[in-house]
Coordinates of all heavy atoms in Angstrom, one line a residue:
Chain A
L217 N -9.6 -7.3 9.9 CA -10.6 -7.8 9.0 C -12.0 -7.2 9.4 O -12.8 -6.8 8.6 CB -10.6 -9.3 9.1 CG -9.5 -10.0 8.4 CD1 -9.5 -11.5 8.7 CD2 -9.5 -9.8 6.8
K218 N -12.2 -7.1 10.7 CA -13.4 -6.6 11.2 C -13.6 -5.1 10.8 O -14.6 -4.7 10.3 CB -13.4 -6.7 12.7 CG -14.7 -6.2 13.4 CD -14.7 -6.7 14.9 CE -15.6 -5.8 15.8 NZ -14.7 -4.7 16.3
T219 N -12.6 -4.3 11.0 CA -12.7 -2.9 10.7 C -12.8 -2.7 9.2 O -13.5 -1.8 8.7 CB -11.6 -2.0 11.3 OG1 -10.3 -2.4 10.8 CG2 -11.6 -2.1 12.8
L220 N -12.0 -3.5 8.4 CA -12.1 -3.4 6.9 C -13.5 -3.7 6.5 O -14.0 -3.1 5.5 CB -11.1 -4.3 6.3 CG -9.6 -3.8 6.4 CD1 -8.6 -4.8 5.8 CD2 -9.5 -2.4 5.6
M221 N -14.2 -4.6 7.1 CA -15.6 -4.9 6.8 C -16.5 -3.8 7.2 O -17.4 -3.4 6.4 CB -16.0 -6.2 7.5 CG -15.3 -7.5 6.8 SD -15.7 -9.0 7.8 CE -17.5 -8.9 7.8
E222 N -16.2 -3.2 8.3 CA -17.1 -2.1 8.8 C -17.0 -0.9 7.8 O -18.0 -0.2 7.6 CB -16.6 -1.7 10.2 CG -17.2 -2.6 11.3 CD -16.5 -2.4 12.6 OE1 -15.7 -1.4 12.8 OE2 -16.8 -3.2 13.6
V223 N -15.8 -0.6 7.3 CA -15.7 0.5 6.4 C -16.1 0.2 5.0 O -16.2 1.0 4.1 CB -14.3 1.1 6.4 CG1 -13.9 1.6 7.7 CG2 -13.3 0.1 5.8
G224 N -16.4 -1.1 4.7 CA -16.9 -1.5 3.4 C -15.9 -1.9 2.4 O -16.1 -1.9 1.2
M225 N -14.7 -2.3 2.9 CA -13.7 -2.7 1.9 C -13.7 -4.2 1.7 O -13.2 -4.7 0.7 CB -12.3 -2.3 2.4 CG -12.2 -0.8 2.8 SD -11.0 0.1 1.9 CE -9.5 -0.8 2.1
L226 N -14.3 -4.9 2.6 CA -14.3 -6.4 2.5 C -15.7 -6.9 2.9 O -16.5 -6.2 3.6 CB -13.3 -7.0 3.5 CG -11.8 -6.8 3.4 CD1 -11.1 -7.5 4.5 CD2 -11.4 -7.1 2.0
T227 N -16.0 -8.0 2.3 CA -17.2 -8.7 2.8 C -16.8 -10.2 3.1 O -15.8 -10.6 2.7 CB -18.3 -8.8 1.7 OG1 -17.8 -9.4 0.5 CG2 -18.8 -7.4 1.3
K228 N -17.6 -10.8 3.9 CA -17.3 -12.1 4.4 C -18.5 -13.1 4.0 O -19.7 -12.7 4.1 CB -17.2 -12.1 5.9 CG -16.8 -13.4 6.6 CD -16.4 -13.1 8.0 CE -16.9 -14.0 9.0 NZ -16.5 -13.6 10.4
S229 N -18.2 -14.3 3.6 CA -19.3 -15.2 3.3 C -18.8 -16.6 3.7 O -17.6 -16.9 3.9 CB -19.7 -15.1 1.8 OG -18.5 -15.3 1.0
D230 N -19.7 -17.5 3.7 CA -19.4 -18.9 4.1 C -18.8 -19.6 2.9 O -19.2 -19.4 1.8 CB -20.7 -19.7 4.5 CG -21.2 -19.1 5.9 OD1 -20.4 -18.5 6.6 OD2 -22.4 -19.3 6.2
D231 N -17.9 -20.5 3.2 CA -17.3 -21.4 2.2 C -18.2 -22.6 2.1 O -18.3 -23.4 3.1 CB -15.9 -21.8 2.6 CG -15.2 -22.5 1.5 OD1 -15.9 -23.3 0.7 OD2 -13.9 -22.4 1.3
P232 N -18.8 -22.9 1.0 CA -19.7 -24.0 0.9 C -19.0 -25.3 1.1 O -19.6 -26.3 1.4 CB -20.2 -23.9 -0.6 CG -19.3 -23.0 -1.3 CD -18.7 -22.1 -0.3
T233 N -17.7 -25.4 0.9 CA -16.9 -26.6 1.0 C -16.5 -27.0 2.4 O -15.9 -28.0 2.6 CB -15.7 -26.6 0.1 OG1 -14.7 -25.8 0.7 CG2 -16.0 -26.1 -1.3
H234 N -16.6 -26.0 3.3 CA -16.1 -26.3 4.7 C -16.9 -25.4 5.6 O -16.9 -24.2 5.6 CB -14.6 -25.9 4.7 CG -14.0 -26.4 6.0 ND1 -14.4 -26.0 7.2 CD2 -12.9 -27.2 6.2 CE1 -13.6 -26.6 8.1 NE2 -12.7 -27.3 7.5
K235 N -17.6 -26.0 6.6 CA -18.5 -25.3 7.4 C -17.8 -24.3 8.3 O -18.5 -23.3 8.8 CB -19.3 -26.3 8.3 CG -20.4 -27.0 7.6 CD -21.2 -27.8 8.6 CE -22.4 -28.6 7.8 NZ -23.0 -29.7 8.6
Q236 N -16.6 -24.4 8.5 CA -15.9 -23.5 9.4 C -15.1 -22.4 8.6 O -14.7 -21.4 9.2 CB -14.9 -24.2 10.3 CG -15.5 -24.5 11.7 CD -14.4 -25.1 12.6 OE1 -13.6 -25.9 12.2 NE2 -14.4 -24.7 13.9
K237 N -15.0 -22.6 7.3 CA -14.2 -21.6 6.6 C -15.0 -20.4 6.2 O -16.2 -20.5 5.9 CB -13.7 -22.3 5.3 CG -12.4 -23.0 5.5 CD -11.8 -23.4 4.1 CE -10.5 -24.1 4.2 NZ -10.0 -24.7 3.0
A238 N -14.4 -19.3 6.3 CA -15.0 -18.0 5.8 C -14.2 -17.6 4.6 O -13.0 -17.8 4.5 CB -14.9 -17.0 6.9
I239 N -15.0 -17.0 3.6 CA -14.3 -16.4 2.4 C -14.4 -14.9 2.5 O -15.5 -14.4 2.6 CB -15.0 -16.9 1.1 CG1 -14.9 -18.5 1.0 CG2 -14.4 -16.3 -0.1 CD1 -15.6 -19.0 -0.2
Y240 N -13.3 -14.3 2.4 CA -13.3 -12.8 2.4 C -13.2 -12.3 1.0 O -12.4 -12.8 0.2 CB -12.1 -12.3 3.2 CG -12.3 -12.5 4.7 CD1 -11.8 -13.6 5.3 CD2 -13.1 -11.6 5.4 CE1 -12.0 -13.8 6.7 CE2 -13.3 -11.8 6.8 CZ -12.8 -12.9 7.4 OH -13.0 -13.1 8.8
S241 N -14.0 -11.3 0.6 CA -14.0 -10.8 -0.7 C -13.7 -9.3 -0.7 O -14.2 -8.6 0.2 CB -15.4 -11.0 -1.4 OG -15.7 -12.4 -1.5
L242 N -13.1 -8.8 -1.7 CA -12.8 -7.4 -1.9 C -14.1 -6.8 -2.4 O -14.8 -7.3 -3.3 CB -11.7 -7.2 -2.9 CG -10.3 -7.8 -2.5 CD1 -9.4 -7.8 -3.7 CD2 -9.7 -7.1 -1.3
T243 N -14.4 -5.6 -2.0 CA -15.4 -4.8 -2.6 C -14.8 -3.9 -3.7 O -13.6 -3.8 -3.8 CB -16.1 -3.9 -1.6 OG1 -15.2 -2.9 -1.1 CG2 -16.7 -4.7 -0.4
E244 N -15.6 -3.2 -4.4 CA -15.1 -2.3 -5.4 C -14.2 -1.2 -4.8 O -13.2 -0.8 -5.4 CB -16.3 -1.6 -6.2 CG -15.9 -0.6 -7.2 CD -15.1 -1.2 -8.4 OE1 -15.4 -2.4 -8.7 OE2 -14.3 -0.5 -9.0
M245 N -14.6 -0.8 -3.6 CA -13.8 0.2 -2.9 C -12.4 -0.3 -2.7 O -11.4 0.5 -2.7 CB -14.5 0.4 -1.5 CG -14.0 1.5 -0.6 SD -15.0 1.4 0.9 CE -14.2 2.8 1.8
A246 N -12.2 -1.6 -2.4 CA -10.9 -2.1 -2.2 C -10.2 -2.3 -3.5 O -9.0 -2.1 -3.7 CB -10.9 -3.4 -1.4
I247 N -10.9 -2.8 -4.5 CA -10.3 -3.0 -5.8 C -9.8 -1.7 -6.4 O -8.8 -1.7 -7.1 CB -11.3 -3.7 -6.8 CG1 -11.7 -5.1 -6.2 CG2 -10.8 -3.8 -8.2 CD1 -12.8 -5.8 -6.9
A248 N -10.5 -0.6 -6.1 CA -10.1 0.7 -6.6 C -8.7 1.1 -6.0 O -8.2 2.1 -6.4 CB -11.2 1.7 -6.2
L249 N -8.2 0.3 -5.1 CA -6.9 0.7 -4.6 C -5.7 0.2 -5.4 O -4.6 0.5 -5.1 CB -6.7 0.1 -3.1 CG -7.6 0.8 -2.1 CD1 -7.4 0.1 -0.7 CD2 -7.1 2.3 -1.9
V250 N -6.0 -0.6 -6.4 CA -5.0 -1.2 -7.3 C -4.0 -0.1 -7.8 O -2.8 -0.3 -7.7 CB -5.6 -2.0 -8.4 CG1 -4.6 -2.3 -9.5 CG2 -6.1 -3.3 -7.9
P251 N -4.5 1.0 -8.4 CA -3.6 2.0 -8.8 C -2.7 2.6 -7.7 O -1.5 2.8 -7.9 CB -4.5 3.1 -9.4 CG -5.7 2.4 -9.8 CD -5.9 1.4 -8.7
I252 N -3.3 2.7 -6.5 CA -2.5 3.2 -5.4 C -1.4 2.2 -5.0 O -0.3 2.6 -4.7 CB -3.4 3.5 -4.2 CG1 -4.3 4.7 -4.6 CG2 -2.7 3.8 -2.9 CD1 -5.3 5.2 -3.5
M253 N -1.8 0.9 -5.0 CA -0.8 -0.1 -4.7 C 0.3 0.0 -5.8 O 1.5 -0.2 -5.4 CB -1.5 -1.5 -4.9 CG -2.5 -1.8 -3.8 SD -1.7 -2.3 -2.3 CE -3.1 -2.7 -1.2
A254 N 0.0 0.2 -7.0 CA 1.0 0.2 -8.0 C 1.9 1.4 -7.8 O 3.2 1.3 -7.9 CB 0.3 0.4 -9.4
H255 N 1.4 2.6 -7.5 CA 2.2 3.7 -7.2 C 3.0 3.5 -5.9 O 4.2 3.9 -5.9 CB 1.3 5.0 -7.0 CG 0.9 5.6 -8.3 ND1 1.8 6.5 -8.9 CD2 -0.2 5.6 -9.0 CE1 1.2 6.9 -10.0 NE2 0.0 6.4 -10.1
L256 N 2.4 3.0 -4.9 CA 3.2 2.7 -3.7 C 4.4 1.8 -3.9 O 5.5 2.0 -3.4 CB 2.3 2.0 -2.6 CG 1.5 2.9 -1.7 CD1 0.7 2.1 -0.7 CD2 2.4 3.9 -1.0
G257 N 4.1 0.7 -4.7 CA 5.1 -0.2 -5.1 C 6.2 0.5 -5.9 O 7.4 0.3 -5.6
A258 N 5.9 1.3 -6.8 CA 6.9 2.0 -7.6 C 7.7 2.9 -6.8 O 8.9 3.0 -6.9 CB 6.2 2.8 -8.7
W259 N 7.0 3.6 -5.9 CA 7.7 4.6 -5.0 C 8.7 3.8 -4.1 O 9.8 4.2 -3.9 CB 6.7 5.4 -4.2 CG 7.3 6.5 -3.4 CD1 7.5 7.8 -3.8 CD2 7.7 6.4 -2.0 NE1 8.1 8.5 -2.7 CE2 8.2 7.7 -1.6 CE3 7.7 5.4 -1.0 CZ2 8.6 7.9 -0.3 CZ3 8.1 5.6 0.2 CH2 8.6 6.9 0.6
G260 N 8.2 2.8 -3.4 CA 9.0 2.0 -2.5 C 10.2 1.4 -3.3 O 11.4 1.4 -2.7
R261 N 10.0 1.0 -4.5 CA 11.1 0.4 -5.3 C 12.2 1.4 -5.5 O 13.3 1.1 -5.6 CB 10.5 -0.2 -6.6 CG 11.1 -1.4 -7.1 CD 10.2 -2.0 -8.1 NE 10.2 -1.2 -9.3 CZ 11.1 -1.2 -10.3 NH1 12.2 -2.0 -10.1 NH2 11.0 -0.5 -11.3
R262 N 11.8 2.6 -5.7 CA 12.7 3.7 -6.1 C 13.5 4.2 -4.9 O 14.7 4.5 -5.0 CB 11.9 4.8 -6.7 CG 12.8 5.7 -7.6 CD 11.9 6.4 -8.7 NE 11.5 5.4 -9.7 CZ 10.3 5.4 -10.2 NH1 9.4 6.3 -9.9 NH2 10.0 4.4 -11.1
Y263 N 12.8 4.2 -3.7 CA 13.5 4.9 -2.6 C 13.8 4.1 -1.4 O 14.4 4.5 -0.5 CB 12.6 6.1 -2.2 CG 12.4 7.1 -3.2 CD1 11.3 7.3 -4.0 CD2 13.5 8.0 -3.5 CE1 11.2 8.2 -4.9 CE2 13.4 9.0 -4.4 CZ 12.2 9.1 -5.2 OH 12.1 10.0 -6.1
L264 N 13.4 2.8 -1.4 CA 13.6 2.0 -0.2 C 14.3 0.7 -0.5 O 14.4 0.3 -1.7 CB 12.2 1.7 0.5 CG 11.4 3.0 0.9 CD1 10.0 2.6 1.3 CD2 12.2 3.7 2.0
P265 N 14.9 0.1 0.5 CA 15.8 -1.1 0.3 C 15.0 -2.4 0.0 O 14.9 -3.3 0.8 CB 16.6 -1.2 1.5 CG 15.7 -0.6 2.6 CD 14.9 0.5 1.9
V266 N 14.3 -2.4 -1.1 CA 13.5 -3.6 -1.4 C 14.3 -4.8 -1.8 O 15.5 -4.6 -2.2 CB 12.5 -3.3 -2.6 CG1 11.6 -2.1 -2.2 CG2 13.3 -3.0 -3.9
S267 N 13.7 -6.0 -1.7 CA 14.4 -7.2 -2.2 C 14.0 -7.4 -3.6 O 12.9 -7.0 -4.0 CB 14.1 -8.4 -1.3 OG 12.7 -8.7 -1.5
E268 N 14.8 -8.1 -4.4 CA 14.6 -8.2 -5.8 C 13.3 -9.1 -6.0 O 12.5 -8.7 -6.8 CB 15.8 -8.9 -6.5 CG 15.7 -8.9 -8.0 CD 16.8 -9.8 -8.6 OE1 17.7 -10.3 -7.9 OE2 16.8 -10.0 -9.8
E269 N 13.2 -10.2 -5.3 CA 12.1 -11.1 -5.6 C 10.7 -10.4 -5.2 O 9.7 -10.7 -5.9 CB 12.3 -12.4 -5.0 CG 12.2 -12.4 -3.4 CD 13.6 -12.2 -2.8 OE1 14.5 -11.6 -3.5 OE2 13.8 -12.5 -1.6

Side-chain angles (χ1 to χ4, degrees):
Chain A
L217 287 172
K218 180 163 155 277
T219 61
L220 286 172
M221 288 172 55
E222 282 168 4
V223 298
M225 310 241 304
L226 298 181
T227 58
K228 181 168 137 182
S229 55
D230 292 339
D231 187 329
T233 76
H234 191 305
K235 281 187 182 165
Q236 264 187 322
K237 273 189 180 172
I239 298 179
Y240 289 95
S241 299
L242 301 167
T243 64
E244 179 63 31
M245 187 181 179
I247 294 172
L249 289 176
V250 164
I252 292 180
M253 292 280 181
H255 276 280
L256 272 182
W259 185 88
R261 216 164 67 79
R262 200 152 293 140
Y263 295 104
L264 301 172
V266 299
S267 70
E268 189 188 355
E269 67 272 21

